[in-house]
Amino acid sequence: TALANKDFEKAKTLLEDRVQEIKNTDELTKAVVQDYVQSVKQGNNTIVVTKSNENKERLNYEIRESLKEQGLIKGKEIEVKAFVSKNVSELEKRFGQFYKEGDVIRFNSMKDVKALTKAGQELPLKGKDLKTIGKEFKVEKIDKDKNSLVVSSVKNENFKLEVELNQHHHRFSVFEEKSVKIAVGERVMTLQNDREIGVKNGQIYQVKEISNNRLVLESQGGTIKEIDFKQYRYFDHAYAMTVHKSQGATVDRVIHAAYEAKSDFNTIYTALTRGKNSYAVYAVDKKGYLKSLEKEQEKASSIEYKQKMEKQIEDLKARGAELKKLEDNQKGSLKEKSSQERDSGKTLKDSERSNVKGGRESFTETERSTEKDLSRSPRKSEHSRRENSAGKDSQDSSREIEHSTGRGR
């Protein structure tokens, strides 16, 4: 009541004896796990809530291992490739830098799939046969320059689409593939609405039976659901969850694991009101936790919200530009280094050419010197040539005369 009425002083007084401070995060995790297992043994429907996805994963693993040791989870385990939420905001969905190859995007409807087909690119199948394509697509390539994704159908990898994020980010949710071990007695949470099998996002079930690719689940209200892994893979362990994901859940006991020194009223209120009978708080900073009750999350008007979103978009664009500039600088450095190596090689070749050229010039100079020496007495040589030539001509003339004379005879 004090929390609901925002009577902060009274709420602080009530929580003073309920918040256990454990500064060491490993010790805090152990205390939370022990509390959870003990509560379950007493027959309480219990959940742990925490702020970050990282701590949620850590707690789910530790709680599950403890439950196995206690024999509360037993029997054969199967490992399923499940699709779990990637936890990207609507703003982050607009930028390629927040995706990685292998991520899975799930379109809201087949109309959204059709909306992405480009001019001239038609869906190969129509009507009921569109189910062979499905709404799940795996990210194959990320083009940061164009801010787009190339995705292929999970059911039909030959069917591909290009997703321009600025234009189509609102048409899908983002998941990542995760190996989830499942056994009888396990608590799981469904992460995606599906009308065909009748499940909703955020519902908690207990695994009653496992056979081949099929799970038999029982809800908290006793409803039985059968899930085929080939048809639905959106689930995760449900021992711990983020405060945001816990909204709408109601259990017997809630345990708030506050790993952060600072929080706010809205987070604490959402966390503690999940338990209808009891709650417990484990915090690394008790004083900071209690002081956070006075801090309420800001509620902005639609104009302020728009301005805030625009500012975040500009910041992300600037961040993207910085990353691109850094990448270009790295490429430039590599190019410059390569150029320097080429220049170094060129200098060596020029030196070799210079040596060769020097040798040629030396040889040419020697050749010229020789020719000069040979041409120092040209007159004498020419006179000798003329004398020889004259003597030859005289001999030839004499023979010709003799021949003529003899002919006359």
Side-chain angles (χ1 to χ4, degrees):
T1 303
L3 282 173
N5 295 331
K6 296 184 181 179
D7 187 341
F8 302 130
E9 292 304 319
K10 187 175 181 180
K12 283 182 184 179
T13 302
L14 291 171
L15 286 169
E16 184 70 37
D17 297 330
R18 305 293 293 274
V19 179
Q20 296 186 47
E21 183 179 76
I22 304 176
K23 293 187 178 294
N24 184 285
T25 56
D26 290 337
E27 293 301 319
L28 188 149
T29 300
K30 288 180 182 178
V32 170
V33 172
Q34 288 173 2
D35 192 330
Y36 180 92
V37 174
Q38 186 62 32
S39 180
V40 170
K41 283 184 173 182
Q42 294 172 356
N44 294 315
N45 183 8
T46 309
I47 61 170
V48 177
V49 294
T50 192
K51 188 175 182 179
S52 74
N53 191 62
E54 181 182 356
N55 287 324
K56 178 211 75 173
E57 292 289 328
R58 178 184 187 181
L59 287 163
N60 264 330
Y61 174 80
E62 295 295 342
I63 290 171
R64 187 173 186 274
E65 288 300 303
S66 183
L67 291 173
K68 285 168 64 178
E69 290 176 4
Q70 299 290 326
L72 299 175
I73 296 176
K74 53 189 175 182
K76 182 181 177 181
E77 286 185 340
I78 63 168
E79 190 167 330
V80 180
K81 295 291 185 182
F83 297 147
V84 298
S85 301
K86 189 174 171 68
N87 294 310
V88 291
S89 67
E90 285 299 316
L91 179 63
E92 292 170 336
K93 281 168 61 179
R94 297 178 62 171
F95 299 93
Q97 66 202 64
F98 293 100
Y99 296 81
K100 69 176 187 297
E101 292 180 5
D103 282 349
V104 174
I105 64 173
R106 187 182 196 275
F107 289 99
N108 303 326
S109 67
M110 287 309 299
K111 290 182 180 179
D112 291 301
V113 177
K114 290 181 181 180
L116 266 78
T117 58
K118 293 184 175 180
Q121 180 185 0
E122 298 180 358
L123 288 172
L125 304 171
K126 296 181 180 180
K128 294 181 180 179
D129 291 334
L130 285 173
K131 291 181 181 179
T132 62
I133 294 173
K135 292 181 282 189
E136 291 92 4
F137 284 72
K138 186 168 289 189
V139 176
E140 288 191 351
K141 183 181 177 182
I142 303 163
D143 190 328
K144 293 181 181 178
D145 292 330
K146 292 172 64 177
N147 199 38
S148 66
L149 309 174
V150 175
V151 298
S152 62
S153 167
V154 172
K155 291 184 177 180
N156 182 358
E157 62 182 14
N158 293 321
F159 184 79
K160 302 179 188 295
L161 291 173
E162 183 175 4
V163 183
E164 295 178 358
L165 295 173
N166 283 330
Q167 186 178 358
H168 300 294
H169 66 277
H170 62 285
R171 298 184 183 279
F172 57 82
S173 300
V174 188
F175 297 84
E176 53 189 350
E177 200 171 59
K178 172 188 173 184
S179 293
V180 178
K181 293 181 179 179
I182 304 292
V184 172
E186 202 89 61
R187 280 188 66 173
V188 296
M189 173 185 281
T190 51
L191 305 174
Q192 182 67 40
N193 296 337
D194 193 308
R195 291 181 180 179
E196 292 185 17
I197 61 176
V199 298
K200 293 182 179 181
N201 180 17
Q203 290 181 326
I204 298 174
Y205 295 89
Q206 186 173 37
V207 178
K208 304 300 289 184
E209 184 183 334
I210 301 174
S211 60
N212 298 325
N213 292 320
R214 188 175 60 91
L215 283 181
V216 177
L217 307 176
E218 183 179 5
S219 70
Q220 295 177 4
T223 304
I224 301 296
K225 296 286 182 183
E226 290 190 15
I227 292 180
D228 188 332
F229 298 143
K230 293 181 180 179
Q231 185 179 0
Y232 188 91
R233 288 196 280 165
Y234 298 91
F235 55 84
D236 199 1
H237 296 130
Y239 309 110
M241 61 191 72
T242 61
V243 174
H244 175 74
K245 196 68 177 178
S246 72
Q247 294 182 71
T250 302
V251 293
D252 298 328
R253 179 175 173 80
V254 64
I255 303 168
H256 188 192
Y259 289 90
E260 299 77 19
K262 295 180 180 180
S263 187
D264 58 74
F265 171 80
N266 303 69
T267 298
I268 295 172
Y269 177 80
T270 302
L272 301 187
T273 53
R274 299 309 93 204
K276 60 184 179 181
N277 296 332
S278 65
Y279 64 85
V281 180
Y282 296 87
V284 293
D285 185 345
K286 181 177 181 178
K287 184 177 179 181
Y289 184 89
L290 295 175
K291 190 172 179 60
S292 296
L293 285 169
E294 300 175 8
K295 181 183 176 183
E296 192 167 3
Q297 287 180 339
E298 296 179 1
K299 292 183 179 180
S301 66
S302 58
I303 295 176
E304 290 172 332
Y305 176 77
K306 183 179 179 182
Q307 291 174 342
K308 184 178 179 181
M309 290 290 285
E310 288 174 347
K311 175 67 169 57
Q312 288 180 319
I313 290 171
E314 291 304 316
D315 289 344
L316 284 170
K317 284 182 177 178
R319 182 183 170 191
E322 287 178 8
L323 290 172
K324 191 174 188 305
K325 185 178 179 181
L326 179 62
E327 186 178 354
D328 291 341
N329 288 339
Q330 290 175 338
K331 287 180 180 178
S333 297
L334 291 172
K335 189 175 181 181
E336 184 179 351
K337 184 179 179 182
S338 178
S339 177
Q340 288 175 350
E341 289 175 351
R342 285 198 301 271
D343 290 344
S344 176
K346 184 179 178 183
T347 302
L348 181 61
K349 288 181 180 179
D350 288 345
S351 176
E352 291 173 351
R353 289 194 191 102
S354 178
N355 292 336
V356 172
K357 184 178 179 182
R360 286 177 179 172
E361 288 177 350
S362 177
F363 176 79
T364 304
E365 189 62 33
T366 302
E367 192 178 41
R368 286 174 182 169
S369 177
T370 304
E371 287 178 353
K372 189 175 181 181
D373 291 339
L374 290 172
S375 62
R376 279 180 180 173
S377 52
R379 290 180 182 178
K380 183 178 180 182
S381 299
E382 184 65 24
H383 178 71
S384 299
R385 283 197 298 272
R386 284 178 181 177
E387 285 184 347
N388 293 335
S389 179
K392 187 178 180 183
D393 290 344
S394 176
Q395 291 176 0
D396 290 343
S397 298
S398 298
R399 290 193 190 97
E400 188 176 346
I401 293 171
E402 289 177 358
H403 183 70
S404 299
T405 304
R407 214 186 275 174
R409 290 176 185 171

